[in-house]
Amino acid sequence: MPDVQSTVLEFVNKLRKRKIEGSQATAKCTVELLRSVISQQRVPHSNQASALIDAVKAVGEQLVAANPVELAVGNVVRRVLHIIREEDLSLATAAMAGLDLLDASDDDGEDDNCKVVGYSAMSAAVAAAAARSTLRPPSLQTLLEGTPESAAVPYTSSSGADSESKSKSADKSSITRKLKHDVIEGVNHLILEISGCHEQIAEQAIEHIHQNEVILTLGSSRTVLEFLCAAKEKKRSFRVFVAEGAPRYQGHLLAKELVARGLQTTVITDSAVFAMISRVNMVIIGAHAVMANGGVIGPVGVNMAALAAKKHAVPFVVLAGSHKLCPLYPHNPEVLLNELRSPSELLDFGEVSDCLDFGAGSGSPLLQVVNPTFDYVPPSLVSLFITDTGGHNPSYMYRLIADYYSADDLVM
Amino acid sequence: MDSMAAATSSSVPASGLTTVSVKSSKPLKEKTTKAERRALQDAQRAASKGASLDVFILALHVGIISCLYCVLSAEGGKAPLYDDESRVVKAKRRAVVKQTEAKNRVELFRHLPQYEHGTQLPDLETKFFLLDPMHPAVGLQYLSGDISGGNARCIAMLQAFQEVVKDYSTPPEKTLNRDLTAKISSYVSFLIECRPLSVSMGNAIRFVKNRIAKLPIMLFESEAKAALQSDIQRLISEKIVAADKAIVRHAVTKIRDGDVLLTYGSPSAVEMVLLQAHELRKKFRVLVVDSLPKLEGQLLLRRLIKRGIDCTYTHINAISYIMHEVTKVFLGASSVLSNGTVYSRVGTACVAMVASAFRVPVLVCCEAYKFHERVQLDSICSNELGDPNVISKVHGRGDINYLDGLTNNANLQFLNLMYDATPSDYISMIITDYGMVPPTSVPVIVREYQKEHLLV
């Protein structure tokens, strides 16, 4: 495992120094790293799922600590953990289904102890199967009969299964290999999903863009670029206003790409967003992250555009791949989920150095320069989210979290 | 007598009143106002009665005033129609500065002039000594952006007019009124070519022409010139300088200890308020918000820091981030229109909108001479377009050159708006030399102010 450790450390360094840009790239690298961690992890015969979970969590905590603002890292780690739990659960229920028949057949030849254990394992498995239903919409029956205890039960089910394994070790060894195999399969599926999110989102472009539209966008998002080009390919004619996005000027990059693909583009300054919004039909932006309440973390300046769009009743559409959906609720996101960049992008020190009086302790004024990277848009200002699973209302986003994440993994 | 000659040369007022050839960049409009129609009737009555000399003169006066109104209203506030081909061609023929139109124009702004900025300055410099000595200097300063800001431009222009008046001498066979007005109009059209007029300048020009027209015809030339110069001086000192002092006195009462004040760009009135409040030893912090491409906030920042005020500097995209700690927003205005809309530097509307979303009061400091009777709903109908190249090449950041070489691409346009219109519901209060009023009181002040304007 030493070389896995070194790759982990290397990746942590890259994250800390912000060498990797963009949530999609970060997510893919993280998943690939976790895949190699899982495949190289030696799992014991008992409690293998928890061993895997612990290994992934250990690595995940390091990664998240390296770049807490890049929420895609945490999202992806939680996705992998959820995959492990899911696969483990499905294997356990399959094993239980198989053991059901076996136990029924050789009732007599067992120890009392084993039988008791067997029975307790069985009941635990039943409870586990019932607990599984808490991950799915609960049926009326379970609600009326009272739910069993929480999702801690899957652990006991696996321990129950492991105690079975002492007596039926031949079956179990195949199951051992199967868990890792399934998990790696699931992780590969996740990588494909992350890579393909742009195409899935772009397919929906044609439903939202009609002829002679004027679209406003901010910053530079590859998702938005693909979205607009997909509509262009289907012969919809429209114009795009791109706001510059000072101080990083991402808007210039996006404009360059759009012009290269043949779209009518006009570059405007950020201060002109309110002036132009009365003539715009739709605002489309790419999100950096989507929070559990439907709020959006985006490039700085999107809140201004969202407020202007609300005032003029212009639809505000946010494009986000599913790896950007974060199961956390934003508390004070402007401060806690933000990053302040170098002030030199705004103001050169040499321009004001002659005015600043550095006389010690004379109460001389200090000049502060504020240069945040991200902006938070509350869910009330967003009209529509377009993800690779389709279009959703902001109030629906919390529901997607249950599909992708387990409740245990929220606090790592 | 030159007045007799003038009377005969102007012909019967009834027919040709609206087409007296006063030189202007825009052709006179055909419709006559109520005043003009009354003047026509008076003149006709005078002519039909077999008039005496003084009635003729009276009719002439009234006629001149009414036709000047028509000229003034064409200059003061009506939107120029640059999508009308014939007018554009006529204007070009009279132009002093050679304009070349920008190749890649934004369709939405076809009604506004958009010229290539690079070629004008060198062209003007070559002509500098060929033109009349007085006016190019101010025009050059406008063109190169040395003077910017409503008050500064207006004062510079009025001082230039004072020089013009001082050096003026009536040519033979002409009256002072009409000739001087014609000269002023030609200078104004030159200034417009350098940079479109701001509303404050339009109002000032209207005032000056009004004063010229009101001069009694019997006055000696030197007396007339002295009267004019003192009038212009009075405009500057009363309506601009003293007004600023009044605004400062009102506004500092609104600043309390512990305040965090936000301001945008570099408004002259707000700067005076902040400096005065600092003199009065009030404890407050200032947040200066800036935006491209002009980066005017940096100038304000330097001046505030030199005086020892605590400042924070940021750009307009970050206002949502900092607005939660702001207690009041002070903004400047180029003009306030009659429906309460504040017409000012582009970006002001964004700041006001975010401030009202965070429930922060927005105070606009604007002198009353900048008020105007026209109305505007959005920022597109009437605006000024700046140099588009400034957007593609970012000043001071050599690494940002993504759009080099694409400036001639047919698919790509740059839009550099100078002004925008802030709706009145975002404004809490307007601080003027007449006091602190809500935006809805502006048409009332315009009505009263105009009356006073004419009577004085």
Side-chain angles (χ1 to χ4, degrees), chain A residues 218 239 241 244-250 252-253 255-256 259 262-276 278-279 300-301 303-304 307-308 311 334-335 338 340 344-347 351-352 354-356 364-372 374-375, chain B residues 106 108-109 264 285 291-293 298 301-302 305-306 308-322 346-347 349-350 353-354 357-358 378-381 391-392 394 397 400 402-403 406 409-417 419-421 423 425-426:
Chain A
L218 266 103
R239 308 177 41 89
F241 283 125
E244 276 189 317
R248 299 182 70 191
Y249 301 101
Q250 306 279 48
H252 286 213
L253 275 171
K256 190 172 173 182
V259 166
L263 278 165
Q264 281 279 336
T265 318
T266 306
V267 177
I268 62 173
T269 53
D270 311 302
S271 35
V273 164
F274 188 88
M276 298 309 296
S278 54
R279 294 293 186 274
V300 70
N303 194 25
M304 197 166 72
L307 285 168
K311 155 91 180 176
E334 289 95 6
V335 180
N338 211 335
L340 294 179
S344 61
E345 285 177 3
L346 286 185
L347 189 63
E351 284 175 36
V352 282
D354 50 339
C355 306
L356 293 175
S364 56
L366 283 174
L367 172 65
Q368 293 173 348
V369 179
V370 178
N371 188 3
F374 297 119
D375 226 356
Chain B
V106 184
L108 202 52
F109 290 95
Y264 174 69
R285 246 185 344 121
S291 81
L292 295 139
Q298 290 186 358
L301 187 69
R302 288 175 60 91
I305 296 181
K306 276 208 173 109
I309 301 178
D310 263 329
C311 290
T312 305
Y313 177 78
T314 183
H315 64 99
I316 193 168
N317 274 335
I319 42 178
S320 310
Y321 176 81
I322 54 171
V346 67
C350 293
M353 172 185 68
V354 176
F358 281 78
D378 63 8
S379 321
I380 318 261
C381 309
I391 302 187
S392 58
V394 180
R397 297 280 297 278
I400 311 286
Y402 309 125
L403 293 174
L406 281 178
N409 196 320
N411 281 338
L412 182 64
Q413 283 122 22
F414 295 97
L415 184 59
N416 186 3
L417 286 178
Y419 293 107
D420 71 10
D425 27 357
Y426 293 145

Side-chain angles (χ1 to χ4, degrees), chain A residues 40-101:
Chain A
Q40 301 217 354
Q41 175 77 15
R42 250 183 248 118
V43 280
H45 279 226
S46 60
N47 260 348
Q48 20 176 323
S50 48
L52 282 177
I53 287 175
D54 286 336
V56 170
K57 257 199 185 170
V59 175
E61 274 164 16
Q62 286 185 351
L63 296 178
V64 170
N67 190 349
V69 172
E70 185 59 76
L71 294 164
V73 174
N75 296 350
V76 149
V77 170
R78 292 184 183 100
R79 285 289 287 271
V80 170
L81 289 171
H82 181 72
I83 290 174
I84 298 176
R85 288 188 210 277
E86 281 262 326
E87 295 296 338
D88 185 51
L89 209 46
S90 65
L91 278 179
T93 41
M96 285 311 125
L99 283 169
D100 242 349
L101 310 167

Side-chain angles (χ1 to χ4, degrees), chain B residues 152-165:
Chain B
R153 287 170 70 187
C154 194
I155 293 179
M157 180 186 73
L158 288 172
Q159 285 169 341
F161 282 171
Q162 278 183 319
E163 296 279 335
V164 167
V165 168

Side-chain angles (χ1 to χ4, degrees), chain A residues 225 229 232 236-240 255-265, chain B residues 409-412:
Chain A
L225 177 65
C229 294
K232 172 97 181 15
R236 296 286 157 96
S237 73
F238 55 95
R239 308 177 41 89
V240 183
K256 190 172 173 182
E257 292 290 317
L258 287 172
V259 166
R261 311 260 191 127
L263 278 165
Q264 281 279 336
T265 318
Chain B
N409 196 320
N411 281 338
L412 182 64

